[in-house]
Amino acid sequence: QVQLVESGGGLVQPGDSLRLSCAASGGIIVTNLHMSWFRQAPGKEREFVAVIRPGGSGTSYADSVKERFTISRNHGKNTLYLQMNSLKPEDTATYYCKVFYRGNEYWGQGTQVTVSS
């Protein structure tokens, strides 16, 4: 059974950093697949944040997070990460990891990030 479990969210002040994790299991090998982060703020649609491609194929980011967020993964821990620096109040949202695997789309349950002074 495929599982994606996010963690690492919390309440931080503007300018702070957080690292989100997404632990994968049930056949998902994070280094072999396109793995993505999305976020959804209250009253808004879910939006793309970042993607990391299989092997060494690179990464892409939403313009709103470029130069501040970094997506990465650890093969041994089979975990996807999102390092978020210089956080802004507009980064407040529930963050989700996503993978497309064997014809199906899988999402984690989400982790809440709140940026407020």
Side-chain angles (χ1 to χ4, degrees):
Q1 179 182 355
V2 171
Q3 267 201 315
L4 299 172
V5 180
E6 299 99 335
S7 60
L11 172 63
V12 297
Q13 295 189 337
D16 284 352
S17 298
L18 274 178
R19 188 176 79 158
L20 306 183
S21 300
C22 172
S25 60
I28 300 295
I29 306 298
V30 297
T31 50
N32 293 354
L33 300 166
H34 286 79
M35 302 288 301
S36 304
W37 286 99
F38 283 72
R39 67 185 182 185
Q40 188 167 19
K44 295 189 176 181
E45 294 199 351
R46 195 168 294 190
E47 64 175 3
F48 167 77
V49 174
V51 62
I52 188 165
R53 301 179 186 86
S57 303
T59 58
S60 295
Y61 298 89
D63 287 344
S64 58
V65 307
K66 272 181 188 173
E67 310 300 329
R68 299 189 298 121
F69 290 11
T70 303
I71 188 171
S72 64
R73 58 196 166 198
N74 182 297
H75 179 76
K77 295 183 178 180
N78 206 31
T79 298
L80 178 73
Y81 300 102
L82 185 67
Q83 177 66 43
M84 306 187 295
N85 299 329
S86 303
L87 282 160
K88 304 175 180 180
E90 51 263 43
D91 294 318
T92 294
T94 301
Y95 284 72
Y96 301 88
C97 59
K98 190 203 86 168
V99 64
F100 193 77
Y101 177 64
R102 292 187 175 179
N104 294 299
E105 198 172 75
Y106 296 95
W107 295 85
Q109 84 289 350
T111 186
Q112 176 67 37
V113 173
T114 303
V115 185
S116 175
S117 54

